[in-house]
Amino acid sequence: MPVYTLPDGSQRSFERPQTVDQLAASIGAGLKKAALAAKVNGQLVDTSYEMTDDATVAIVTDKDPEGLDVIRHSTAHLLAQAVQAIYPSAQVTIGPVIEDGFYYDFAFERPFTPDDLEFFEAKMRELAKQDLPVTRQVTSRDEAVQRFLSIGEKYKAEIVGSIPADQDISVYHQGQWFDLCRGPHVPSTGKLKAFKLMKVAGAYWRGDSKNEMLTRVYGTAWRDEKELKAYLTRLEEAEKRDHRRIGRELDLFHQQEEAVGSVFWHPHGYSLWRQIERYVRERLEQADYREVKSPQLLDRTLWETTGHWDNYREHMFIAESENRTLAVKPMNCPGHVLIFKQGMKSYRDLPIRIAEFGACHRNEPSGALHGLMRVRAFTQDDAHIFCTEDQINSETVQFCTLLSSMYADFGFTDVRVKFSDRPEKRAGSDEVWDKAEAALKAAVTEAKLPYTLNPGEGAFYGPKLEFVLKDAIGRDWQCGTLQVDFVLPERLEAEYVAADGTRQRPVMLHRAILGSFERFIAILIENHAGKLPTWLAPVQAVVLSITDRAAPFVQEAAKFLKNQGLRVETDLRNEKIGFKIRENTLKRIPYLLVVGDRELESRQLAVRTRSGEDLGVMTLDEVLTLINSDVASRGHHRLEE
């Protein structure tokens, strides 16, 4: 008599084994209707799964994260069925779930086009309305190979053929159509209600450029039409906020083939960069960091000692000189250890916090490069804290406090933490990793920061915390990190004199808040849609003339404000004032200061904001006070739209 334990701790016993569907029905008709899958003893299964023994069972509906994954996986199958209904000779290959949706790769006599998507989507809706039962069949590997070969599915046959012969294969049926899959899937196609095909792209079979080029169809799927509409709206908003487009419009930077993966910063863009650098430097000085500068080129022997040569070689740029192999640094860590080692340190000196705006280079694949978000040449707001094991907790708490405060100044108040533990490819013994992971977990608990686990994603030398920001339209961005490292100080023989006179290894905390300047600036631009807060804006105010007579006072006013430390430009063009206001508003300049005959006579300025708010007429001193107050408060509220 099997007994099934539910998430609330209640139990249900039956005379004979039940399927998930039967169990859901015994609980209630509503749950049976809503059930998409289940977690049985922690394993995700179909609703048709029969539970022969006692088990813990959680029915999965569309309210659960796993439910949304099942919907997306099943929608990928619906796409494949629709494509083969329209083009029977098309072959299906693989179709996984990805963030916000799914894709499926197809082999066909010609690449699919965006025009095809309309027909595929219409067929998908037709198949969904038919509410076809989705059933699972288990077969042997060899039988599955023959089955797919018999219908001309050579790619599926190749996939199945790579599976061990003694392993059973699951095949899912939707009406007469079937596909290889581990599952689970929704009980019927009628559960798939909100989806859209997004785009087509080329993709090599199994990701190998030596293989055939296939057509990849991307789609998105959601619980209901409301969620789908909200997602599409977010995409539209994200496109408007694209930092590459705004960067061109505001003349901030450009990129070109002569410097792949690098950035040409224009005056306004570099002004933004310098404001950020000035702010970070000020905050680090207050937190007792000491700024350094380390070399760009370091000998191969150093990278071999640190372990980077074995673990990171493919990402490094290499140079040869005088029979020596040098690497352009992909990170600043080894250089900071070498600086720490200059002169014997005492336990009384610790913690030592070394910071650098370190220029780094990493040989990222050209296909992965994306504006400022993914580059080959970048600058980190990097720092390393050398401390004792007893200081890990206090240093982590101080760092997390500093990080949260700085993010808030940039306009990010929703920050989450992910704990990334040991990766498969790593340096150091398991004992060292046990100690590092335990220390970091204790520290993040001490800092009162809730965190989620991110298994296997630690750095190769130590576990890390990753700080994830949520932007104005709900997107997540991983920026800051804190990493505990017992390995590098050991490999580079860093040491200090302990209280008992013995030589000890310091613990090395790797930490960054922005991550890289390039990527953080891209995130800032997109978060604020280019309407940067006044303290960061490359141009904080523009003084505009209505008549030629106003020109001398416009220049006088601009000079006065500049001399007080503001970033100010003038617009003396012989254009109508409405045109000037509109153009400078499109440039996202926070304050527009207008001078006409009346303002000239009173030696005042008519003040407007880029949101269109009329703040009235003010003297130069009043304007200065207004803008300085906004700058000092990091006042995002004034200019939000």
Side-chain angles (χ1 to χ4, degrees), residues 533-536 540 565-567 591 624-635:
T534 305
W535 72 282
L536 288 173
Q540 296 170 316
L566 297 183
R567 299 183 292 279
Y591 291 96
L624 178 64
T625 299
L626 168 72
I627 300 177
N628 276 339
S629 175
D630 189 0
V631 169
S633 67
R634 318 288 183 205

Side-chain angles (χ1 to χ4, degrees), residues 50-176:
E50 186 176 69
M51 301 167 287
T52 56
D53 300 312
D54 293 353
T56 59
V57 185
I59 306 297
V60 173
T61 70
D62 65 7
K63 293 182 174 59
D64 301 301
E66 297 94 341
L68 187 52
D69 280 349
V70 171
I71 286 171
R72 288 171 174 163
H73 196 178
S74 299
T75 309
H77 274 219
L78 189 68
L79 165 63
Q81 183 181 10
V83 169
Q84 291 194 312
I86 295 172
Y87 297 121
S89 63
Q91 294 188 63
V92 296
T93 61
I94 58 171
V97 172
I98 57 175
E99 185 178 5
D100 296 329
F102 59 90
Y103 69 76
Y104 221 116
D105 290 347
F106 299 91
F108 191 51
E109 61 195 33
R110 65 167 176 82
F112 294 144
T113 69
D115 291 337
D116 289 311
L117 300 189
E118 182 180 343
F119 298 106
F120 297 160
E121 195 174 307
K123 190 64 177 179
M124 290 169 69
R125 299 195 185 283
E126 178 187 322
L127 294 168
K129 285 180 181 178
Q130 291 176 19
D131 199 20
L132 300 170
V134 178
T135 58
R136 182 174 185 265
Q137 177 189 17
V138 177
T139 183
S140 70
R141 186 201 71 170
D142 292 343
E143 183 181 341
V145 169
Q146 290 307 313
R147 191 171 179 187
F148 283 108
L149 285 176
S150 70
I151 59 172
E153 293 278 9
K154 70 170 187 176
Y155 295 95
K156 285 293 181 185
E158 184 178 327
I159 293 172
V160 177
S162 64
I163 297 171
D166 60 350
Q167 186 172 322
D168 286 338
I169 304 298
S170 58
V171 175
Y172 280 82
H173 291 255
Q174 290 170 193
Q176 298 301 310

Side-chain angles (χ1 to χ4, degrees), residues 555-625:
Q555 292 172 325
E556 180 186 337
K559 183 177 181 181
F560 169 80
L561 296 173
K562 283 182 182 179
N563 288 343
Q564 301 302 314
L566 297 183
R567 299 183 292 279
V568 182
E569 292 184 349
T570 62
D571 188 342
L572 298 170
R573 291 177 298 167
N574 186 23
E575 300 283 358
K576 292 182 178 180
I577 191 61
F579 176 83
K580 290 183 180 182
I581 289 173
R582 186 165 55 254
E583 276 213 338
N584 286 286
T585 299
L586 290 174
K587 292 179 181 177
R588 282 90 156 174
I589 297 173
Y591 291 96
L592 284 66
L593 313 175
V594 180
V595 180
D597 288 342
R598 281 180 295 181
E599 291 79 20
L600 178 61
E601 186 175 339
S602 63
R603 293 182 59 78
Q604 293 182 313
L605 303 168
V607 183
R608 298 170 58 94
T609 71
R610 63 188 167 203
S611 64
E613 184 181 4
D614 186 346
L615 301 182
V617 177
M618 301 182 187
T619 65
L620 283 172
D621 285 335
E622 290 171 335
V623 170
L624 178 64
T625 299

Side-chain angles (χ1 to χ4, degrees), residues 142-388:
D142 292 343
E143 183 181 341
V145 169
Q146 290 307 313
R147 191 171 179 187
F148 283 108
L149 285 176
S150 70
I151 59 172
E153 293 278 9
K154 70 170 187 176
Y155 295 95
K156 285 293 181 185
E158 184 178 327
I159 293 172
V160 177
S162 64
I163 297 171
D166 60 350
Q167 186 172 322
D168 286 338
I169 304 298
S170 58
V171 175
Y172 280 82
H173 291 255
Q174 290 170 193
Q176 298 301 310
W177 183 85
F178 61 90
D179 194 9
L180 166 74
C181 194
R182 277 187 300 227
H185 285 284
V186 296
S188 68
T189 59
K191 301 289 187 184
L192 310 176
K193 303 178 184 299
F195 50 81
K196 183 174 180 58
L197 300 182
M198 305 299 293
K199 63 179 181 179
V200 294
Y204 291 108
W205 168 234
R206 293 194 156 176
D208 189 336
S209 60
K210 297 176 183 176
N211 292 335
E212 305 94 318
M213 174 68 77
L214 309 174
T215 299
R216 178 168 295 176
V217 178
Y218 287 93
T220 188
W222 297 86
R223 298 173 179 88
D224 53 43
E225 287 293 334
K226 182 179 178 181
E227 282 192 350
L228 174 61
K229 184 176 180 181
Y231 171 70
L232 296 176
T233 300
R234 285 200 305 274
L235 285 185
E236 290 176 11
E237 185 62 29
E239 188 174 347
K240 294 176 188 174
R241 293 168 178 258
D242 190 309
H243 72 279
R244 295 166 298 180
R245 182 175 65 82
I246 293 174
R248 289 192 299 271
E249 292 174 356
L250 302 188
D251 194 25
L252 301 179
F253 65 89
H254 84 276
Q255 295 172 284
Q256 63 186 68
E257 283 300 311
E258 286 78 2
V260 174
S262 300
V263 185
F264 294 84
W265 291 99
H266 299 187
H268 284 169
Y270 197 54
S271 170
L272 170 59
W273 177 295
R274 286 187 291 111
Q275 304 319 311
I276 295 172
E277 184 176 326
R278 183 179 295 125
Y279 167 79
V280 174
R281 179 174 283 118
E282 177 184 306
R283 295 300 304 268
L284 293 185
E285 287 175 353
Q286 293 169 357
D288 198 27
Y289 284 80
R290 294 179 240 178
E291 190 174 340
V292 300
K293 197 70 175 174
S294 59
Q296 285 288 303
L297 287 169
L298 293 162
D299 195 274
R300 168 181 175 166
T301 55
L302 175 67
W303 300 110
E304 289 175 336
T305 303
T306 63
H308 289 92
W309 195 262
D310 292 332
N311 291 280
Y312 211 79
R313 165 68 185 83
E314 66 272 21
H315 299 296
M316 300 168 73
F317 288 102
I318 306 302
E320 300 287 342
S321 176
E322 297 180 342
N323 297 319
R324 298 180 69 182
T325 301
L326 307 170
V328 183
K329 67 175 179 180
M331 66 274 297
N332 305 294
C333 331
H336 289 188
V337 179
L338 298 184
I339 291 173
F340 174 85
K341 288 177 63 178
Q342 296 302 299
M344 180 53 64
K345 306 297 189 296
S346 161
Y347 71 95
R348 294 188 183 88
D349 298 318
L350 303 183
I352 292 175
R353 307 179 186 96
I354 295 177
E356 178 175 6
F357 298 108
C360 298
H361 292 76
R362 295 180 185 172
N363 192 12
E364 302 282 2
S366 59
L369 301 177
H370 176 74
L372 303 181
M373 295 291 188
R374 191 87 175 263
V375 290
R376 288 177 174 170
F378 58 96
T379 298
Q380 294 179 307
D381 67 317
D382 212 357
H384 295 90
I385 302 170
F386 296 88
C387 63
T388 66

